[in-house]
């Protein structure tokens, strides 16, 4: 029997990491990551408290004005870091509260599953108390009685670290009844999922939290009006919530300066890059950092490869070209170029990669992960996959590309319950726009042999 | 089917036995939520942790513990990709097939897995050791291509790493 080499298996174990050493990170410039340790171990409560931990909660509860928390978030213009880019302060100001309205729920969307995205994992595995602190502030602002961290089931290490940190916070009186003598009660549970990308859609997430199939709900009513169990509910991404403590502690004006005039959006962003680059990874950088700088930090493309195209923030964003590398990566600028900032984690495509094959891979993902609720998504996406498969094999028919245009248009915004289908349409439409000739090459020439193998049916 | 009261520890038919500790764990989970149904996914995972998968009889048993219909439990069980409604091997290999892995060697890794295990997606090796399944982006894109074996995430993994990795899961 072959002898296992000790340690080799462990050396292949994946560990989340930030590619910025502690010496480069400071409290006034890196609100999300300055506390992270170079050894990659989690920042536990003692360490966290030494680094200003829970000071924002103390401040907000001492001030005693939840509306002031919302006002600060609005002024700071913290935009949703899960990819939506909606103003967090505005979302919170729309949560029903007061009068006869029962207290609702604060739900942290930790269902990180957007292809190409690996940022929330880092925050949860290495700095769980920052998320807990942000959630306490969110709950205070929105009058939430209880919080859930909706965590994807595969994030086993995140679950372990978060549960230990929640125990620590509870033990120290930062969670539970009468937090820090304020009279405010709030606690948090980790709710782990069991797969399915659609759980990241906020209304599908609420259905999943309630123990149902994760189909999206019609909006309105929005979760802030009627969410989990009909109560006002706020759903925020992990990174979004991790921004709240520094905003409350240092103020909206300070937060605005973090982006250094690169963009109207304030703050920093956990940017990252993956695909065939020399050093794929994550960095906390000013909002509005360019794609060029991120690619440079990653040491450029692998080997002698050239950049052909890139996705700015996950599979559901539109393809950009090398010429777009100079643009500041913020929500509005990227939006104007026909894409979306999304999660802000770049995926690069090398020059030798077939765009048809890549699109087939992306659409297989969207087709498989469709919840099946709406027809354009449930039936349209598998059809898209079959067409792309045929084009990839050089067996496309005349009209297939026009059909792809049509199917993508039918998945557009407003035609389905949620953003899953529009998310599937955007990369396809931009790929067809920028690389149409590649798709055209997949159409069978007149006189060439008929399909050697039938296109598989029912495999997606 | 005769109705069986809750908390007997002997819920179900065909000899399926809901372990008393599992039933207790489900009741504890229910306390975290406004409605017992919310513990449904966790209840399925509790059964799966003990049995490796979720047999039909367990669906009925969970429904009784939660006080909801078996159809609701079955609807949930068949929706989520990490709940297994048929037997799986002792170890489940989840291979990430999303874009970053696709761009960094997924095809080769998948081929090597298929060849070394002798099975494709959804299949289990003859010795009941491994089941192979695809999974959504594992959020390990800076370590692509990535895969999970049971609760362990590995990446980057090359075809050459597989024999040693798989050996750790007897």
């Amino acid at each position: 029997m072959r002898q296992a080499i000790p340690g080799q298996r462990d050396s292949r174990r994946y560990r989340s990491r930030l590619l910025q050493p502690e010496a480069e990170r400071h409290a006034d410039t890196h609100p999300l990551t300055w506390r992270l340790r170079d050894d990659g171990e989690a920042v536990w409560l003692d360490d966290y408290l030494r680094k200003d931990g829970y000071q924002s909660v103390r401040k907000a509860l001492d001030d005693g004005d939840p509306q002031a928390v919302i006002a600060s978030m609005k002024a700071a213009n913290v935009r949703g870091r899960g990819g939506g880019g909606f103003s967090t302060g505005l979302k919170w100001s729309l949560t029903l509260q007061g009068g006869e309205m029962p207290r609702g729920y604060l739900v942290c969307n930790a269902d990180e599953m957007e292809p190409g995205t690996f940022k929330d994992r880092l925050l949860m595995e290495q700095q769980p108390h920052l998320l807990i602190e942000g959630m306490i502030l969110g709950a205070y602002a929105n009058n939430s009685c209880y919080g859930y961290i909706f965590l994807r089931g595969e994030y086993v290490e995140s679950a372990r670290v978060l549960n230990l940190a929640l125990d620590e916070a509870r033990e120290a009186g930062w969670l539970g009844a009468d937090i820090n003598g304020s009279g405010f009660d709030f606690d948090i549970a980790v709710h782990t999922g069991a797969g399915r990308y659609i759980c990241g859609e906020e209304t599908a997430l609420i259905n999943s939290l309630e123990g149902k199939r994760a189909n999206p709900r019609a909006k309105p009513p929005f979760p802030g009006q009627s969410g989990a169990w009909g109560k006002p509910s706020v759903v925020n991404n992990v990174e979004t919530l991790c921004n709240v403590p520094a905003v409350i502690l240092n103020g909206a004006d300070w937060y605005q300066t973090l982006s250094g005039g690169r963009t109207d959006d304030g703050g920093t962003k956990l940017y990252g890059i993956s695909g065939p680059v020399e050093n794929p990874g994550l960095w906390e950088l000013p909002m509005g950092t360019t794609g060029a700088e991120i690619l440079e930090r990653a040491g450029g493309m692998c080997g002698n490869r050239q950049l052909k195209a890139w996705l700015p923030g996950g599979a559901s964003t539109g393809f950009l070209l090398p010429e777009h590398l100079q643009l500041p990566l913020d929500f509005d600028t990227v939006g104007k170029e026909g894409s979306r900032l999304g999660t802000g984690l770049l995926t690069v495509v090398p020059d030798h990669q077939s765009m048809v094959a890549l699109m087939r891979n992306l659409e297989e993902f969207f087709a498989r992960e469709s919840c099946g609720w709406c027809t354009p998504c449930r039936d349209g996406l598998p059809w898209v996959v079959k067409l792309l498969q045929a084009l990839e094999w050089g067996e496309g028919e005349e009209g297939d590309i026009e059909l792809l245009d049509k199917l993508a248009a039918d998945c557009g915004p407003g035609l389905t319950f949620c953003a899953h289908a529009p998310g599937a349409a955007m990369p396809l439409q931009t790929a067809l726009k920028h690389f149409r000739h590649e798709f055209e090459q997949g159409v069978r020439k007149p006189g060439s042999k008929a399909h050697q193998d039938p296109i598989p049916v029912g495999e997606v | 089917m005769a109705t069986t009261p809750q908390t007997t520890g002997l819920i179900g038919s065909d000899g399926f036995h809901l372990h008393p500790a599992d039933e207790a764990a489900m009741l504890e989970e229910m306390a975290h939520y406004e409605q017992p149904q919310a513990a449904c996914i966790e209840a399925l995972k509790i059964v799966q942790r003990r049995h490796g998968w979720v047999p039909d009889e367990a669906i009925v048993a969970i429904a009784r513990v939660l006080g909801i219909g078996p159809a609701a439990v079955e609807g949930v069980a068949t929706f989520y990709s990490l709940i297994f409604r048929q037997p799986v091997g002792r170890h489940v290999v989840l291979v990430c097939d999303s874009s970053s892995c696709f761009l960094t060697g997924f095809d080769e890794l998948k081929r090597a897995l298929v060849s070394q295990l002798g099975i494709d997606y959804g299949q289990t090796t003859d010795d009941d050791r491994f089941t192979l399944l695809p999974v959504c982006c594992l959020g390990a894109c800076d370590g692509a291509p990535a895969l999970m074996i049971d609760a362990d995430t590995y990446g980057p993994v090359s075809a050459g790493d597989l024999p040693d990795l798989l050996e750790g899961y007897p």
Side-chain angles (χ1 to χ4, degrees):
Chain A
M1 196 172 148
R2 198 172 65 84
Q3 198 70 37
I5 305 162
Q8 186 171 319
R9 193 152 45 236
D10 278 341
S11 76
R12 285 280 161 250
R13 236 172 241 279
Y14 174 78
R15 290 199 70 186
S16 195
R17 66 205 172 115
L18 186 77
L19 295 186
Q20 276 165 314
E22 240 176 306
E24 278 182 28
R25 295 181 263 115
H26 309 287
D28 54 346
T29 52
H30 295 74
L32 296 173
T33 62
W34 69 275
R35 300 176 177 95
L36 293 185
R37 300 158 55 98
D38 277 344
D39 63 11
E41 293 298 316
V43 179
W44 297 112
L45 187 64
D46 286 349
D47 195 2
Y48 190 69
L49 289 172
R50 273 195 300 276
K51 297 171 176 168
D52 292 347
Y54 290 102
Q55 290 307 306
S56 70
V57 168
R58 194 186 296 272
K59 180 170 185 278
L61 294 182
D62 284 352
D63 290 351
D65 183 4
Q67 290 302 319
V69 174
I70 297 178
S72 292
M73 288 298 288
K74 262 185 165 171
N77 191 26
V78 178
R79 299 178 65 173
R81 302 294 201 249
F86 191 75
S87 161
T88 305
L90 184 57
K91 185 188 263 190
W92 289 6
S93 71
L94 297 171
T95 307
L96 296 182
Q97 52 174 305
E100 297 292 300
M101 189 55 63
R103 293 179 69 187
Y105 296 97
L106 182 82
V107 185
C108 170
N109 186 344
D111 198 57
E112 182 168 70
M113 242 183 266
E114 177 73 23
T117 304
F118 47 99
K119 64 183 178 71
D120 295 340
R121 178 200 275 274
L122 175 92
L123 293 168
M124 293 187 286
E125 290 184 1
Q126 297 189 19
Q127 200 173 215
H129 285 289
L130 184 65
L131 175 58
I132 296 169
E133 186 172 354
M135 287 184 71
I136 297 169
L137 292 168
Y140 185 61
N142 291 286
N143 197 31
S144 315
C145 63
Y146 203 77
Y148 295 100
I149 300 173
F150 190 104
L151 182 69
R152 69 179 294 189
E154 297 92 332
Y155 276 15
V156 178
E157 176 66 4
S158 301
R160 184 187 74 86
V161 171
L162 284 168
N163 277 311
L164 286 171
L166 287 170
D167 287 343
E168 280 190 322
R170 220 170 272 130
E171 183 78 15
W174 295 107
L175 288 174
D178 191 23
I179 293 172
N180 207 33
S182 63
F184 178 67
D185 307 335
F186 179 67
D187 210 331
I188 300 172
V190 175
H191 176 103
T192 56
R196 297 309 292 268
Y197 172 72
I198 195 65
C199 295
E201 199 281 335
E202 67 175 358
T203 59
L205 185 150
I206 289 170
N207 270 336
S208 188
L209 180 68
E210 291 184 1
K212 300 171 182 163
R213 292 167 74 93
N215 295 323
R217 295 178 177 178
K219 296 191 274 194
F222 291 90
Q225 302 165 303
S226 175
W229 301 288
K231 308 280 169 55
S233 302
V234 181
V235 183
N236 286 130
N237 166 259
V238 173
E239 186 186 353
T240 306
L241 288 164
C242 286
N243 270 289
V244 185
V247 170
I248 299 311
L249 202 56
N250 303 332
D253 291 343
W254 164 83
Y255 189 81
Q256 276 293 318
T257 64
L258 288 176
S259 55
R262 288 170 178 82
T263 163
D264 292 337
D265 291 346
T268 60
K269 177 83 191 72
L270 268 183
Y271 286 108
I273 191 166
S274 68
V277 292
E278 289 291 342
N279 293 305
L282 272 178
W283 302 266
E284 182 180 7
L285 300 170
M287 181 60 96
T289 297
T290 65
E293 185 180 343
I294 295 163
L295 182 57
E296 190 185 323
R297 280 179 178 265
M301 300 293 290
C302 273
N304 295 318
R305 291 294 170 199
Q306 298 295 310
L307 179 70
K308 177 177 185 173
W310 51 294
L311 294 165
S316 64
T317 62
F319 283 103
L320 294 174
L321 300 172
E323 70 202 52
H324 296 118
L325 282 175
Q326 303 306 326
L327 295 172
L329 292 177
D330 65 57
F331 291 102
D332 294 339
T333 306
V334 180
K336 281 181 197 135
E337 296 299 326
S339 184
R340 298 189 306 120
L341 178 62
T343 60
L345 275 80
L346 285 52
T347 309
V348 301
V349 184
D351 50 5
H352 66 300
Q353 173 64 49
S354 153
M355 292 303 289
V356 180
L358 178 57
M359 270 323 306
R360 189 258 307 152
N361 170 268
L362 288 172
E363 296 300 343
E364 276 176 347
F365 169 83
F366 286 111
R368 184 179 74 202
E369 297 304 326
S370 170
C371 78
W373 192 246
C374 312
T375 307
C377 185
R378 180 191 61 242
D379 290 356
L381 295 179
W383 195 356
V384 164
V385 171
K386 286 173 192 167
L387 292 167
L388 290 169
Q389 184 73 81
L391 291 169
E392 189 183 354
W393 289 342
E395 295 179 350
E397 305 276 356
E398 287 293 336
D400 278 1
I401 296 172
E402 291 71 21
L403 192 50
L404 285 174
D405 287 331
K406 168 82 166 62
L407 289 168
D410 287 347
C411 282
L415 299 176
T416 53
F417 262 60
C418 82
H420 184 88
M426 188 179 256
L428 178 60
Q429 286 170 321
T430 49
L432 286 167
K433 178 180 160 199
H434 297 309
F435 303 97
R436 201 171 187 89
H437 56 284
E438 290 193 30
F439 293 85
E440 285 165 352
Q441 280 167 9
V443 176
R444 190 155 47 90
K445 305 292 178 293
S448 69
K449 278 168 71 178
H451 297 308
Q452 290 179 327
D453 299 302
I455 298 167
V457 174
E459 285 204 356
V460 286
Chain B
M1 196 180 294
T3 46
T4 313
Q6 288 181 22
T7 70
T8 60
L10 289 168
I11 289 171
S13 55
D14 292 347
F16 179 80
H17 181 91
L18 188 60
H19 195 283
D22 291 351
E23 190 177 350
M26 290 174 198
L27 294 170
E28 194 183 320
E29 277 300 321
M30 283 157 59
H32 289 153
Y33 306 98
E34 204 170 291
Q35 298 284 339
Q37 181 170 3
C40 188
I41 297 171
E42 196 54 40
L44 289 161
K45 292 206 283 195
I46 288 167
V47 167
Q48 190 162 290
R49 269 196 290 277
R50 185 172 300 279
H51 300 276
W53 65 295
V54 180
D56 289 347
E57 296 77 16
I59 297 286
V60 178
I62 289 169
R64 292 201 186 144
V65 173
L66 299 182
I68 59 177
V73 180
E74 176 69 345
V76 167
T78 52
F79 186 90
Y80 295 96
S81 49
L82 297 179
I83 301 297
F84 307 133
R85 285 292 280 112
Q86 53 179 294
V88 293
R90 293 192 293 284
H91 308 289
V92 176
V93 180
L94 298 174
V95 55
C96 175
D97 60 359
S98 289
S99 40
S100 294
C101 289
F102 178 79
L103 289 163
T104 52
F106 156 77
D107 279 336
E108 194 193 340
L109 183 64
K110 161 85 194 300
R111 268 197 301 275
L113 276 167
V114 167
S115 124
Q116 291 185 30
L117 296 174
I119 50 170
D120 210 327
Y121 287 150
Q123 298 178 333
T124 300
T125 54
D126 287 340
D127 58 1
D128 288 333
R129 187 171 161 201
F130 291 110
T131 296
L132 183 64
L133 291 169
V135 70
C136 274
C137 181
L138 282 175
C141 316
D142 51 346
L147 55 77
M148 277 185 95
I149 307 177
D150 299 340
D152 305 321
T153 306
Y154 296 99
V157 178
S158 69
D161 295 327
L162 286 176
D164 184 55
L165 279 190
L166 296 172
E167 200 174 283
Y169 299 86

